[in-house]
Amino acid sequence: MSKILSTGIKKDRSSADETRLDDTECILRNTEADEFFINIKGELNQVDRLVSDAVNNLVINFKFISKLTKSHHDMVLAIEKLAAPEGSNPILDLLEKQMVVADKIEQELEMAITSLQFGDLVTQLLAHTSNQVEMLNIELQRIDRQSSWRGGSSKKTLNRIHEEISEAVALTKNNSKRKPVVQQGMQMGDIELF
Amino acid sequence: MVKTILAVDDSASIRQMVTFTLKGAGYEVIQAVDGQDALDKANYHQVNLVLTDINMPRMDGLKLLELLRKLANYKNIPILILTTESGDEMKAKGRAAGATGWLVKPFDPKRLLEVIGKVIG
């Protein structure tokens, strides 16, 4: 872990120094790694906030458009009733076209209900990813701590560290909670009655 | 008589979309933000159907389902699960806990209304 994050820093050292990390360096690099993972989580939270904010605004817009559409629909019906006794064909034709438009808007709004559920899927996926990042951080920090306890990351080969990191990733994968969202698009989901 | 549906989801946008769809079809809707909130409301109101998410804070949908089925007046009430989860294992758990049906998000309003109509008549 430490080596991954600090290969650049270590270039100027002698070979003996290269493989030995004192406690202070370990602590500093752990903090660095921690901050790095905290930043990733912070960015995931930021994405979540932006998505939630966008969804809230879209839902408000949706409700407003829906209300206006209903009102427009009612208005067309009322005008149709007023125009009917006169038998004004051009007006009736126009109103009929308006009704077709109103129906089309209603259909589109219904479809928007399905699409507007994306916020929930995104939030759940972000929470899942954030959880995985946190678990990976814990595992990598553990490897780092173990290296210092052995008094010698000095004696560890790069290969061994790579192996431990691979093990940590595998452990994180195994311990991660089940992925809550597998959908790849916003098509309607399955329905099953028991 | 107007039928009442308890809609349970921790996502405000999902609650709003469900409520919009159900109210548009003439149902009365009570919203709950998680399983615990739903259980409290279920004790206070008698509803004709419960539509609940699974992954929620405080109390998840499966626990809610299990507790509702222990209440005398919820033994035979249809309880539909509306969730992002689509795995067979979870569905089996839902079925074992007494769910009436399983709907995977995102839902289509027409299909949701069809299913609800089918289970509550």
Side-chain angles (χ1 to χ4, degrees):
Chain A
M1 178 68 198
S2 310
K3 291 187 180 181
I4 288 176
L5 292 171
S6 57
T7 42
I9 303 168
K10 286 166 67 69
K11 274 180 185 168
D12 301 334
R13 301 190 175 175
S14 67
S15 59
D17 286 344
E18 264 178 14
T19 49
R20 180 172 288 278
L21 299 170
D22 62 33
D23 289 348
T24 320
E25 280 177 314
C26 276
I27 290 163
L28 281 175
R29 282 166 191 163
N30 279 342
T31 310
E32 260 175 32
D34 232 5
E35 278 174 6
F36 180 68
F37 279 105
I38 287 168
N39 282 344
I40 294 175
K41 285 189 73 177
E43 283 164 17
L44 290 173
N45 284 337
Q46 187 188 3
V47 174
D48 190 29
R49 280 195 302 275
L50 286 171
V51 170
S52 299
D53 202 25
V55 170
N56 286 340
N57 291 339
L58 285 170
V59 169
I60 291 168
N61 296 339
F62 170 86
K63 283 181 165 176
F64 192 63
I65 294 169
S66 175
K67 212 172 173 180
L68 286 179
T69 307
K70 194 178 178 313
S71 152
H72 173 245
H73 200 280
D74 293 344
M75 212 183 293
V76 172
L77 279 175
I79 297 170
E80 202 172 25
K81 274 183 193 163
L82 288 173
E86 304 288 327
S88 173
N89 285 338
I91 294 177
L92 287 173
D93 285 348
L94 204 61
L95 289 172
E96 201 170 308
K97 280 178 189 162
Q98 283 289 306
M99 281 304 259
V100 171
V101 171
D103 287 345
K104 185 73 189 144
I105 295 173
E106 275 178 20
Q107 282 170 21
E108 293 294 326
L109 283 171
E110 268 184 20
M111 284 160 74
I113 290 178
T114 307
S115 306
L116 275 171
Q117 295 165 58
F118 78 93
D120 182 44
L121 275 69
V122 170
T123 297
Q124 289 195 55
L125 269 178
L126 285 172
H128 178 70
T129 308
S130 185
N131 181 262
Q132 282 184 311
V133 166
E134 189 170 344
M135 287 174 73
L136 187 60
N137 183 21
I138 291 167
E139 279 305 309
L140 294 178
Q141 295 285 345
R142 184 185 57 75
I143 292 172
D144 211 9
R145 272 198 310 276
Q146 278 180 351
S147 305
S148 13
W149 291 340
R150 286 171 200 156
S153 303
S154 54
K155 301 206 169 132
K156 280 200 155 185
T157 62
L158 195 58
N159 281 345
R160 181 62 197 136
I161 291 174
H162 282 167
E163 274 171 25
E164 288 202 359
I165 289 171
S166 301
E167 283 165 16
V169 171
L171 193 71
T172 304
K173 271 188 189 167
N174 289 339
N175 290 347
S176 286
K177 283 183 188 166
R178 186 190 60 258
K179 192 177 174 185
V181 180
V182 292
Q183 288 84 335
Q184 299 292 322
M186 291 304 295
Q187 299 84 0
M188 183 192 83
D190 290 339
I191 295 175
E192 193 178 335
L193 286 179
F194 300 135
Chain B
M1 186 173 166
V2 179
K3 292 187 171 161
T4 305
I5 296 173
L6 177 59
V8 194
D9 205 303
D10 57 327
S11 159
S13 60
I14 296 286
R15 284 199 310 275
Q16 291 186 72
M17 290 298 105
V18 166
T19 303
F20 181 86
T21 303
L22 299 180
K23 281 197 168 175
Y27 293 106
E28 181 97 21
V29 181
I30 298 169
Q31 294 186 25
V33 297
D34 57 37
Q36 186 58 59
D37 187 26
L39 194 63
D40 295 342
K41 285 174 175 159
N43 276 314
Y44 191 73
H45 305 271
Q46 181 57 49
V47 304
N48 302 96
L49 180 139
V50 179
L51 181 66
T52 181
D53 185 18
I54 289 286
N55 299 316
M56 293 180 289
R58 292 212 298 170
M59 184 192 291
D60 68 28
L62 288 177
K63 186 73 187 166
L64 170 68
L65 180 55
E66 193 187 312
L67 294 175
L68 283 177
R69 288 302 187 212
K70 286 182 183 164
L71 301 174
N73 48 344
Y74 281 90
K75 268 194 166 46
N76 300 312
I77 295 291
I79 300 179
L80 292 173
I81 306 291
L82 176 63
T83 176
T84 54
E85 302 270 3
S86 55
D88 289 340
E89 198 186 324
M90 284 296 280
K91 279 188 192 175
K93 280 184 187 172
R95 192 175 188 162
T100 310
W102 195 277
L103 291 82
V104 178
K105 290 176 186 171
F107 71 85
D108 170 76
K110 272 193 185 136
R111 292 298 311 279
L112 176 68
L113 291 173
E114 272 172 29
V115 172
I116 289 176
K118 205 169 181 177
V119 295
I120 60 175

